[in-house]
Amino acid sequence: MSAIATNKPAKSRRRPRWLSNTALLLGIVISVAFLAIALLSAFYLPHNPNVPRIPDRLLPAGSPGYVLGTDVLGRDILSQLMVGARTSLLVGAGGALISLIIGTVAGLSAAAFGRIADETISRGADILLSIPGIVTALVLAATIGSGALTTVLALSAFFTPSFTRVIRSAAMSVLQEDFITAARLYGRPTWFILLRHILPNVAGVIIVQFTLFFAAGILTEAGLSYLGVGVTRPSISWGMMLNEAQQQVGISSPLAMWPGLAIVTVVLGLNLLGDGLRDVLDPRLSRRGA
Amino acid sequence: MTHTTSKAFRLGLATLTATAAIMTSLSGVALAASPRADEGKMILVARQDPGTLDFTKSNLTALRLWIPANVVEPLIYFNKDGTVSPGVAESWTISDDRLTYSFNIREATFSNGEALTADDVVYSLKTMKESPVSQNSSPYQAVSSIEKTGDRTVTVTLSRPSQNFWKGMGSTAGLIQPEAAAATIATNPIGTGPYKLVSYTSNSSLEFTANEHYWGDAPAIGSVSVRIITDGTAGLNALEAGEVDSLPVITIDLWEQLTARGLDKSFSMVTYPQIGEPTFAVFNQKLDPELRQALAMTIDRQAYNDAFGAAWGAENTCTFALPNQAWYAPESPETCPYPYDIEGAMSLVAEKGYANTPLEYVSLSDVPDLSLPADIMVPTMQAAGFNMTRNAIDLARYSQLIFQGRPPQFDVTVMSSDADPTQWACSDEASAGWSTYCSADYTQALSDADAALTDEDYLALMLKSAKILRDEAVIVPIIAKKGVGLFEADLKGFIEPRVAVAIEFAPLHW
């Protein structure tokens, strides 16, 4: 009895798949750190990032009181990076979230409400995709002025068509499944099928796309602010810091390095998170991995 | 044997060291000399493309730097020491009442081979009188007639004495061109200057060669290329790499980089006031005068100057002028009615309750040297207690709001422009310029100065007008930026611009 019990194979205790995904773990660590710094900046900053201290201008990293040094007006780099993280979070996530909501509604509608709706929404998305995002941002900046809100609107206009196409494609795929046919035969209305069956099945795609567009939003915001049509002071963004630092590249190169490093790290982290989530959430990839 | 070997080794080492030293010094000489020196050429760098070369219709610095004095000459030249030299006019007479000016036109030939005539001078002066560019037309305000009074004589009659007219004849307002070539002025201006334009390629270069018909001595350098490099750092790199020979105009945003890279030591650096500009705050004239004065007290000129890390290139001043203008005065207790006094400003804010007055500071988001003042001034004004918000906008939108805005769309802004005091003159408040500044006293003082019969009277009245501008605290100067240029060490002979801001090629030589 005892021997039989000993020879019985032990119950398999496999680690959750996400724990063995290094890219996902790294992405989570970077993204959580980014979120933590952005949240912390709302409550604590080493210095006021907008108040100039001319005698302390262009101090190197490690100077007393200034961990990462100061800029051309003696403003603390670390404090500016922290506030920049908050701006990136708000603008990047804001743009991606608005695109997610509009894109999901439009994508599901295109997939489920017949050919006319599909053609209208798809061609509309094509037209919007043919307009360069930078042009949209410049027009918005010229008409309503530059700033965080303008950047969020520009990102939304830029990302929504892409989001729409991705969600439409995913929903179309799900609509071919047998359980959808069964639901239709059961007499379920289209809106019910969309909410009850399609949406949960494309949720993984939505989450993954959100993280990727979040990263793209941070990059785009940095680009727009670098060009002077994005965030402007007293708000602070990493792209704006890069813009200001370019004047000092020949004098104090780290000024441009810090915001550049922050952008690279966070965008890399969000992309790793997105890729990792796709690996975990996509059942086909799960089966292949198993 | 060992001793011999050691001696030979030491000798060899010494020879090697000496050879290396000689080679190093020789290579240094070779590096220092421009490859264009022997060819009688030079390459200069411009930051902006002029777009058009029509100096009668455009006032762009990018045009005024190269065409006047080099290609197209004025009637006369005003020298740095105050003397007047002949230009297109060989000589001149001025009536005692300063109402009649007779210019004797020299026997000369335009660069296209056509003879210079008195008719060309009459045409040129009349064209400038009608010019849409105020710097060209304003010297003619008192002019009642321009007539050919002899084969080589042109007489200008004034309705009242005008200092501006006489000074204008040595500036762009006095440039002389052939009437027959007026149709091609936008791409190929013709004049009697020491150089002629060979080609102008938009956003690329302007090519000049010596004018074989020039009436004076032939210039030392026969071929001049002005290469348009819009990126300032790229221009400095090109100079350092020996690809070009001079950046005669270097803007303030590059000054600290210039010294940090040691370019001021390895090249000849010149500073000169003519191309410089005052940077100044503009307070909305509709604001309470005491509020404006309190705002003026928050301007820390030294902090602003220090922020650029190149105090050698700019002076703190409360006077709207450049150091080459006689009424200019650096910052001092005598010339600054509202010096930096943050505690005084705080007291005024508390006493007058200005904290309840919402104010808007409009700043430029895409022009670094005009964004920087806002970074300093807005926090300082807020610290003084003002209810100040900042609206940072790009240049296109700024132009709509500020230059064309009626009524004024801002309470505080910062600008940088020519040091022409007449731009603030206005006949009535409704026609006030973009600054919204309009003062009858100031306008009258300028008018009186223009009509002054002597230089002493002119200076006294210009000083009076400058004081009015300071006391009103609408146009509040911060610093006067000088012109800064770098030249290849062997390129000698630079002289300060005599015709507005024009960089003269002819005096330069290797």
Side-chain angles (χ1 to χ4, degrees):
Chain A
M1 187 71 182
S2 169
I4 293 170
T6 306
N7 291 334
K8 187 178 177 183
K11 190 178 177 183
S12 172
R13 285 196 173 186
R14 292 179 59 193
R15 293 171 67 198
R17 261 174 39 77
W18 66 273
L19 273 179
S20 57
N21 189 323
T22 313
L24 177 62
L25 289 176
L26 191 57
I28 289 172
V29 169
I30 293 173
S31 302
V32 168
F34 164 60
L35 288 173
I37 290 169
L39 291 173
L40 177 67
S41 72
F43 306 102
Y44 168 76
L45 289 170
H47 296 275
N48 184 327
N50 276 314
V51 172
R53 298 167 199 83
I54 302 297
D56 293 341
R57 69 191 296 272
L58 295 176
L59 290 178
S63 300
Y66 303 102
V67 176
L68 298 182
T70 59
D71 71 1
V72 70
L73 292 181
R75 296 171 296 204
D76 182 34
I77 297 293
L78 178 62
S79 304
Q80 293 187 61
L81 282 176
M82 291 173 70
V83 176
R86 196 194 323 159
T87 305
S88 293
L89 174 67
L90 291 173
V91 174
L97 192 64
I98 292 173
S99 305
L100 179 150
I101 294 167
I102 300 174
T104 301
V105 171
L108 291 177
S109 303
F113 287 111
R115 190 173 168 190
I116 294 175
D118 187 18
E119 285 294 317
T120 307
I121 292 170
S122 297
R123 297 298 82 76
D126 289 344
I127 291 169
L128 284 174
L129 275 173
S130 68
I131 302 171
I134 187 73
V135 173
T136 310
L138 287 170
V139 169
L140 283 171
T143 49
I144 62 173
S146 53
L149 179 64
T150 304
T151 313
V152 169
L153 291 176
L155 289 178
S156 305
F158 188 40
F159 292 155
T160 300
S162 302
F163 229 114
T164 303
R165 291 173 84 167
V166 171
I167 300 302
R168 173 188 169 277
S169 175
M172 293 282 255
S173 173
V174 178
L175 278 165
Q176 308 302 319
E177 299 287 344
D178 291 342
F179 66 92
I180 300 295
T181 309
R184 280 187 174 141
L185 291 172
Y186 246 65
R188 300 295 190 200
T190 305
W191 64 266
F192 180 85
I193 293 172
L194 282 175
L195 291 178
R196 181 69 181 83
H197 299 298
I198 309 289
L199 195 57
N201 277 286
V202 298
V205 176
I206 292 173
I207 293 168
V208 170
Q209 288 300 312
F210 175 78
T211 59
L212 297 178
F213 278 108
F214 188 176
I218 290 173
L219 264 184
T220 311
E221 182 280 321
L224 292 174
S225 297
Y226 177 78
L227 293 173
V229 293
V231 173
T232 53
R233 286 190 187 273
S235 302
I236 295 170
S237 87
W238 293 336
M240 191 193 72
M241 289 177 72
L242 273 175
N243 177 308
E244 292 179 350
Q246 73 172 348
Q247 302 294 323
Q248 273 73 45
V249 165
I251 305 160
S252 177
S253 300
L255 272 183
M257 186 188 75
W258 295 122
L261 202 60
I263 292 167
V264 168
T265 307
V266 170
V267 171
L268 176 70
L270 287 169
N271 279 325
L272 289 174
L273 179 67
D275 285 348
L277 284 174
R278 187 181 57 200
D279 291 348
V280 172
L281 295 174
D282 190 326
R284 284 165 296 183
L285 288 174
S286 299
R287 279 195 293 273
R288 205 178 301 156
Chain B
M1 182 69 181
T2 307
H3 177 73
T4 309
T5 307
S6 173
K7 189 178 176 184
F9 177 74
R10 283 203 303 272
L11 186 65
L13 191 65
T15 307
L16 190 67
T17 308
T19 307
I22 292 166
M23 291 299 288
T24 306
S25 64
L26 284 177
S27 66
V29 170
L31 281 174
S34 167
R36 291 163 291 279
D38 293 337
E39 301 169 8
K41 296 178 179 175
M42 66 176 172
I43 301 177
L44 284 70
V45 171
R47 286 284 298 273
Q48 289 179 309
D49 178 66
T52 174
L53 302 181
D54 185 352
F55 51 84
T56 67
K57 294 189 177 126
S58 170
N59 190 39
L60 279 181
T61 301
L63 156 65
R64 295 190 301 148
L65 279 170
W66 317 115
I67 301 301
N70 294 314
V71 175
V72 188
E73 291 185 295
L75 281 173
I76 52 174
Y77 287 100
F78 286 100
N79 301 311
K80 187 181 179 185
D81 61 4
T83 59
V84 185
S85 298
V88 171
E90 202 167 29
S91 62
W92 52 88
T93 56
I94 306 171
S95 65
D96 291 342
D97 59 4
R98 286 192 168 258
L99 294 178
T100 307
Y101 291 74
S102 290
F103 296 98
N104 298 315
I105 309 305
R106 72 170 62 249
E107 295 278 357
T109 305
F110 285 113
S111 60
N112 62 357
E114 299 294 324
L116 164 69
T117 67
D119 289 325
D120 291 319
V121 175
V122 171
Y123 165 77
S124 299
L125 299 187
K126 285 184 173 175
T127 301
M128 287 305 197
K129 189 172 188 284
E130 303 302 321
S131 170
V133 176
S134 67
Q135 280 93 334
N136 290 341
S137 58
S138 62
Y140 294 91
Q141 283 178 350
V143 171
S144 53
S145 73
I146 302 167
E147 293 172 314
K148 175 183 170 183
T149 51
D151 281 350
R152 305 215 65 79
T153 308
V154 171
T155 301
V156 180
T157 308
L158 278 60
S159 57
R160 58 170 170 79
S162 173
Q163 294 273 345
N164 290 340
F165 169 73
W166 180 234
K167 292 176 182 2
M169 293 305 98
S171 188
T172 52
L175 294 177
I176 304 303
Q177 55 165 321
E179 183 174 6
T184 58
I185 190 173
T187 54
N188 185 26
I190 302 291
T192 58
Y195 287 87
K196 63 180 178 184
L197 185 72
V198 177
S199 66
Y200 161 51
T201 309
S202 182
N203 289 308
S204 177
S205 68
L206 296 104
E207 305 290 340
F208 300 87
T209 189
N211 173 13
E212 64 270 27
H213 302 293
Y214 182 50
W215 54 268
D217 295 333
I221 297 175
S223 177
V224 180
S225 176
V226 175
R227 192 176 294 173
I228 298 166
I229 302 177
T230 53
D231 184 87
T233 302
L236 289 177
N237 292 344
L239 182 68
E240 198 169 22
E243 293 170 9
V244 300
D245 303 308
S246 171
L247 273 72
V249 182
I250 300 174
T251 48
I252 191 169
D253 52 308
L254 295 169
W255 291 356
E256 190 166 24
Q257 186 185 154
L258 181 159
T259 49
R261 292 169 64 172
L263 299 179
D264 55 329
K265 303 288 190 300
S266 49
F267 293 89
S268 298
M269 189 170 80
V270 297
T271 59
Y272 52 101
Q274 288 81 1
I275 192 72
E277 287 185 339
T279 297
F280 51 95
V282 184
F283 300 148
N284 192 325
Q285 193 175 6
K286 305 285 185 197
L287 294 174
D288 174 42
E290 284 188 288
L291 172 57
R292 297 200 305 262
Q293 292 161 17
L295 284 169
M297 289 160 68
T298 65
I299 296 178
D300 184 355
R301 291 174 175 80
Q302 191 56 48
Y304 179 60
N305 207 339
D306 289 344
F308 284 105
W312 46 266
E315 282 187 10
N316 302 340
T317 183
C318 299
T319 306
F320 186 80
L322 292 173
N324 63 322
Q325 292 169 308
W327 54 94
Y328 173 80
E331 181 183 30
S332 74
E334 292 75 33
T335 60
C336 283
Y338 317 111
Y340 175 60
D341 179 7
I342 189 74
E343 288 174 359
M346 290 169 83
S347 302
L348 270 173
V349 170
E351 182 188 334
K352 303 283 184 181
Y354 292 142
N356 300 320
T357 306
L359 298 169
E360 185 184 42
Y361 187 122
V362 176
S363 70
L364 276 161
S365 59
D366 50 356
V367 182
D369 60 321
L370 292 179
S371 177
L372 200 72
D375 292 347
I376 299 173
M377 289 167 67
V378 172
T380 311
M381 288 171 173
Q382 288 169 339
F386 288 106
N387 181 7
M388 183 71 70
T389 54
R390 178 177 177 177
N391 183 13
I393 54 180
D394 60 279
L395 183 58
R397 191 168 165 78
Y398 187 89
S399 300
Q400 291 172 355
L401 281 177
I402 304 297
F403 296 121
Q404 297 160 23
R406 296 287 186 280
Q409 304 283 308
F410 66 93
D411 295 306
V412 180
T413 191
V414 164
M415 290 296 299
S416 190
S417 78
D418 283 349
D420 175 14
T422 62
Q423 66 184 293
W424 311 122
C426 66
S427 53
D428 65 272
E429 197 167 337
S431 65
W434 55 265
S435 74
T436 76
Y437 178 61
C438 188
S439 161
D441 291 343
Y442 178 73
T443 306
Q444 186 60 49
L446 281 182
S447 178
D448 292 346
D450 183 30
L453 286 173
T454 66
D455 288 346
E456 291 75 22
D457 288 348
Y458 175 72
L459 176 58
L461 286 160
M462 287 307 293
L463 287 168
K464 179 185 175 186
S465 66
K467 184 175 186 314
I468 293 170
L469 202 63
R470 285 194 298 256
D471 291 344
E472 293 267 321
V474 175
I475 309 299
V476 184
I478 303 171
I479 59 168
K481 293 176 287 190
K482 297 174 188 170
V484 174
L486 282 178
F487 287 82
E488 169 71 45
D490 292 334
L491 188 56
K492 314 280 188 191
F494 172 80
I495 64 167
E496 291 187 3
R498 295 184 296 169
V499 184
V501 298
I503 304 295
E504 293 188 46
F505 305 150
L508 294 169
H509 58 87
W510 291 106

